Amino acid sequence: MGWRRLVPVLLCAVALVLTGLPAFAAPEDPSDDMKRVDKELARTGALLESVSEQARTAARQLAETNAALPAAQERIAKARTAVVVAETKAATAQRRADAATAAWQLTDQRYQESVRQVRDGRDRMARFAVATMHGANLAEFNLLLAATRPQEFLIRGGLIRQLGEMRKDAIDGYMLARRDAKQVTNEAELRRRTAEEANRVAQATLQEAQDARAEAERAERDLRDLSGRREKALAAAEAEKADVQRRYEEVKQQSEEIAAQLRAWQEQYGQFVPVLRAGARLLMPTRGWKSSDYGMRFDPYYHTWQLHAGVDIAADGGQAIYAAAGGTVAAAGWNGGYGNYTCITHGRRDGQVISTCYGHQSKILVSVGQKVRGGQLIGRVGTTGASTGNHLHFEVRRDGEPIQPLNWLPGCLC
């Protein structure tokens, strides 16, 4: 586990995936997914400059799928959450719709009953009206006149009062039935509209739940496809492992040969090397931005450690390269994976000779033994050798051995 503490978290995650262990966490910000993938692909390109195109392609595809996995997994998690939320919402809406429909049905029953009561009241009113038209009031008057005794008069008068009360009750009942019917009608209409709206909402939320389920299914299919592509890329990367190891050894050997060449130059011409003034810093060799750091790097695709002996400065092809300080050209020419490569020896610091080297040039504009001054044009940016794009590979070497260039360059890299 020691190496995992030395490499970035993402590279650890990729390495763990290659061993079959789940190591992906959800990205902090899904909107940065594309930037994250691009960054991972750029890192892959920097790591794999020295290997074959087939190995770069396999590793690039593996890096792309590995970098995309967290977003795909987060998409599934969000989709599944959305399904739960949507189905819960749909179930709640359906319960409300059912309750509203039941309430409307009960009110509709009351409405039907009130309609019946109005109809019955109207029928009673009609019967009294017809009786009145046929002289019912005159018959009642004659009934009183026909009474021969006071007691009979009182009895017949009571019957007539009861008939009057019955007429009044019929009228009052009819009017009350109409008023209740109107109230129930309004209530029934309101509940009908409420039920219709609740059912509309229920249908809409049901559609949302169906859409959420469809999205979850798509997300799972996409993850399966992504996992399948990753497995193919992993198989392709495994097939290139032996060749990658061989090429990494070649790069290491080339760096050692450069160190030996610079030491040999120092032995021959070292007495002429000046002493650098205290605190001297180097000039920026070209305009651009740092695309890759110096240092030991773990290749998560082929499980190999490799020293990146300099910093890469991304720049346009053909852009000027300047001597970082005055000195003498110790090497200039083709150098394997470094492509067109130049080394300039500048002087001694603490008894050790400091040199700067410039790789992947499209053109070399100086020759071995030539004296150059700081800031002098010495070449052009290119992508020769084992390079995946235009940039300057810049090294600082002490007695031939590569050291951290950033300690010598301006902090702003400008």
Side-chain angles (χ1 to χ4, degrees):
M1 291 297 290
W3 60 266
R4 293 193 179 100
R5 290 192 290 268
L6 301 177
V7 295
V9 174
L10 181 57
L11 296 185
C12 287
V14 174
L16 286 170
V17 167
L18 293 179
T19 62
L21 297 176
F24 289 101
E28 293 182 359
D29 186 354
S31 66
D32 288 341
D33 287 340
M34 185 58 69
K35 292 180 182 178
R36 185 165 46 78
V37 171
D38 289 344
K39 183 177 180 181
E40 177 63 13
L41 293 179
R43 180 183 291 117
T44 302
L47 279 170
L48 301 173
E49 280 189 338
S50 60
V51 304
S52 67
E53 180 60 31
Q54 294 92 331
R56 282 199 298 271
T57 299
R60 194 162 48 241
Q61 290 173 346
L62 186 57
E64 182 179 12
T65 54
N66 283 339
L69 272 173
Q73 291 173 332
E74 184 183 25
R75 180 185 169 200
I76 287 179
K78 285 187 174 181
R80 288 173 177 169
T81 301
V83 168
V84 173
V85 171
E87 289 184 342
T88 301
K89 184 179 177 182
T92 300
Q94 189 59 54
R95 285 195 299 271
R96 290 175 178 171
D98 292 344
T101 300
W104 172 58
Q105 289 173 346
L106 288 175
T107 307
D108 187 62
Q109 292 175 4
R110 288 175 52 204
Y111 167 74
Q112 297 299 334
E113 176 61 23
S114 66
V115 169
R116 186 189 62 78
Q117 291 176 357
V118 169
R119 185 173 57 250
D120 291 348
R122 187 173 56 246
D123 291 344
R124 290 179 64 193
M125 288 284 294
R127 287 195 297 273
F128 279 117
V130 170
T132 299
M133 290 177 61
H134 288 79
N137 290 335
L138 183 59
E140 293 170 5
F141 181 70
N142 292 333
L143 181 64
L144 285 174
L145 293 180
T148 58
R149 295 189 302 274
Q151 186 177 5
E152 185 179 357
F153 182 84
L154 290 174
I155 292 172
R156 293 186 179 190
L159 291 173
I160 292 172
R161 283 196 301 275
Q162 289 179 7
L163 287 173
E165 291 174 357
M166 291 175 63
R167 291 192 187 95
K168 182 177 181 301
D169 290 343
I171 296 172
D172 291 345
Y174 172 69
M175 298 303 294
L176 181 61
R178 286 189 58 185
R179 185 174 70 251
D180 289 345
K182 182 174 180 59
Q183 180 178 350
V184 172
T185 299
N186 293 338
E187 183 179 351
E189 177 63 16
L190 177 61
R191 292 194 173 182
R192 182 188 66 79
R193 292 180 182 179
T194 300
E196 287 181 351
E197 176 62 18
N199 278 283
R200 186 191 65 76
V201 171
Q203 288 300 315
T205 53
L206 177 62
Q207 185 61 50
E208 289 177 7
Q210 292 172 346
D211 293 343
R213 282 194 294 271
E215 168 58 20
E217 291 170 0
R218 284 194 297 271
E220 290 174 356
R221 285 197 304 271
D222 291 345
L223 180 61
R224 287 195 296 271
D225 292 343
L226 185 62
S227 298
R229 293 201 305 271
R230 188 181 69 82
E231 291 301 321
K232 291 180 181 179
L234 177 59
E238 288 292 327
E240 298 292 329
K241 184 175 288 187
D243 184 62
V244 168
Q245 184 64 47
R246 179 182 62 80
R247 289 173 183 265
Y248 277 177
E249 291 299 326
E250 290 178 357
V251 170
K252 181 180 179 181
Q253 182 179 353
Q254 287 170 1
S255 181
E256 292 172 351
E257 289 174 354
I258 291 168
Q261 183 181 1
L262 288 173
R263 285 193 292 268
W265 188 93
Q266 291 168 208
E267 290 178 2
Q268 184 174 0
Y269 302 103
Q271 66 270 28
F272 304 110
V273 173
V275 176
L276 294 176
R277 70 183 186 277
R281 294 180 69 89
L282 302 176
L283 302 173
M284 270 302 286
T286 193
R287 296 186 308 276
W289 54 276
K290 183 183 69 174
S291 59
S292 185
D293 273 315
Y294 165 90
M296 293 298 296
R297 300 186 299 192
F298 181 77
D299 178 350
Y301 316 102
Y302 299 105
H303 294 188
T304 303
W305 285 95
Q306 179 190 21
L307 173 65
H308 188 239
V311 293
D312 291 344
I313 302 171
D316 293 335
Q319 186 170 297
I321 300 173
Y322 305 101
T328 304
V329 178
W334 185 266
N335 198 333
Y338 287 99
N340 289 326
Y341 186 75
T342 299
C343 286
I344 302 172
T345 298
H346 303 291
R348 292 184 183 278
R349 166 69 67 81
D350 299 330
Q352 297 174 309
V353 176
I354 302 300
S355 304
T356 56
C357 300
Y358 312 77
H360 304 312
Q361 298 174 74
S362 59
K363 289 183 179 180
I364 296 175
L365 302 178
V366 292
S367 57
V368 174
Q370 180 179 341
K371 301 290 185 181
V372 297
R373 65 185 182 279
Q376 179 178 329
L377 178 66
I378 62 169
R380 299 283 180 182
V381 172
T383 183
T384 56
S387 171
T388 55
N390 287 310
H391 70 279
L392 170 63
H393 174 81
F394 177 72
E395 299 175 347
V396 176
R397 290 177 177 260
R398 183 167 52 203
D399 279 352
E401 297 298 328
I403 59 176
Q404 173 60 269
L406 297 180
N407 294 337
W408 295 77
L409 292 172
C412 63
L413 296 182
C414 56

